[in-house]
Amino acid sequence: AWDSLPTIARADTIVQDRVTPQFALLYKLNPEWSVFATYSQSLEPQNQVDADGNAAGPVEGAGYEIGIKADAFERRLAATLSLFEIERSNTATRDTVREAQVGRSPLFFFGNTETVQGFEADIAYNPTNAWQVLLTYTWLWQSETTAAQDPTRIGTPFTLTPEETFNVWTKYVVPSGPAKGLELGGGLRWDGGYLLTALIKTGASHRFDLLVRYPLTLAGRRVSLSANLNNVSDEKNLGGGLNWTNPREFTLSASTRF
């Protein structure tokens, strides 16, 4: 572990290194189903330096994942279902209370540990050769500070991090006839709401998008014409970074390759 924080001047350079191992194990139950387990470590540099010249050490991460993979039904279904845990230690967060007390900034809490535990599903299914459905779902039952220099921060949940997210996208490509190659698509994005601050939480939000794309030949060159209708129902959702999502918008575009 990084037991001390270097005090640096602005022109100083810090060099830190670490070997970060990664391990994976896969076992095939049969030709279509497999179980797996992974473990990895990471090292992330931080650039926070407080008003006293104390620099944050790197964030040390450890991740665990176990799950099952499918490649089934004549390869029409590809799916991964997994449980995971990610722990990041030595993170730095602003100490706004002490900044107000001493009149200097920035000041940080160094040495926090953050833990995320959850479930994730990634599914791709082709009911026919012309129709594809993609689905992802994530449920985080823990996403909080689990160790800190300031004991009052232990148990503090993450802000701007939904507990549940769900995305589905489908597209159909006309396989034959006068409209051969016409692509019709649509998708839904949903989240169950998240904390803006420790006391303010958003409600659940969603957004529908639609796509029509058609390939054709113009002047001997293949061109793709696309029409997109985003946020079909004109939802007003507060997205990440405290910015409202874009209102309903319609775009037309053409693309080619040279």
Side-chain angles (χ1 to χ4, degrees), residues 200-221:
I200 303 175
K201 182 177 180 179
T202 69
S205 63
H206 66 274
R207 167 178 159 167
F208 291 100
D209 296 330
L210 296 174
L211 163 71
V212 178
R213 180 180 293 126
Y214 186 66
L216 69 162
T217 301
L218 292 177
R221 182 174 295 279

Side-chain angles (χ1 to χ4, degrees), residues 173 179-183 213-217 222-226:
V173 180
K180 181 180 179 179
L182 175 66
E183 181 179 332
R213 180 180 293 126
Y214 186 66
L216 69 162
T217 301
R222 294 291 290 175
V223 177
S224 179
L225 301 179
S226 300

Side-chain angles (χ1 to χ4, degrees), residues 97-145:
V97 173
R98 190 155 61 99
E99 288 176 352
Q101 290 173 343
V102 302
R104 292 184 298 117
S105 65
L107 297 173
F108 297 92
F109 289 113
F110 293 113
N112 301 317
T113 298
E114 301 173 345
T115 303
V116 175
Q117 293 181 340
F119 166 79
E120 188 171 47
D122 292 281
I123 300 171
Y125 180 55
N126 290 69
T128 70
N129 291 337
W131 182 16
Q132 182 181 52
V133 181
L134 304 175
L135 182 150
T136 63
Y137 171 74
T138 303
W139 172 31
L140 305 179
W141 55 74
Q142 182 182 34
S143 55
E144 62 186 17
T145 299

Side-chain angles (χ1 to χ4, degrees), residues 38-202:
T38 66
Y39 171 75
S40 62
Q41 294 182 1
S42 63
L43 194 68
E44 307 170 35
Q46 294 190 98
N47 58 9
Q48 289 91 337
V49 180
D50 69 13
D52 298 320
N54 297 313
V59 175
E60 298 180 70
Y64 311 82
E65 185 176 16
I66 59 172
I68 187 167
K69 289 179 176 288
D71 189 359
F73 307 123
E74 299 180 343
R75 311 200 76 173
R76 291 192 180 277
L77 173 68
T80 302
L81 310 178
S82 63
L83 301 172
F84 63 88
E85 176 179 297
I86 302 170
E87 184 176 276
R88 301 172 70 249
S89 59
N90 200 37
T91 62
T93 55
R94 290 287 291 268
D95 186 354
T96 54
V97 173
R98 190 155 61 99
E99 288 176 352
Q101 290 173 343
V102 302
R104 292 184 298 117
S105 65
L107 297 173
F108 297 92
F109 289 113
F110 293 113
N112 301 317
T113 298
E114 301 173 345
T115 303
V116 175
Q117 293 181 340
F119 166 79
E120 188 171 47
D122 292 281
I123 300 171
Y125 180 55
N126 290 69
T128 70
N129 291 337
W131 182 16
Q132 182 181 52
V133 181
L134 304 175
L135 182 150
T136 63
Y137 171 74
T138 303
W139 172 31
L140 305 179
W141 55 74
Q142 182 182 34
S143 55
E144 62 186 17
T145 299
T146 50
Q149 290 182 344
D150 178 5
T152 63
R153 293 192 58 79
I154 296 176
T156 302
F158 297 170
T159 57
L160 304 178
T161 305
E163 180 179 339
E164 290 183 275
T165 58
F166 173 79
N167 297 279
V168 61
W169 178 263
T170 184
K171 71 173 183 178
Y172 178 79
V173 180
V174 177
S176 60
K180 181 180 179 179
L182 175 66
E183 181 179 332
L184 306 173
L188 165 68
R189 289 182 253 179
W190 175 89
D191 69 70
Y194 47 84
L195 290 174
L196 297 177
T197 69
L199 300 176
I200 303 175
K201 182 177 180 179
T202 69

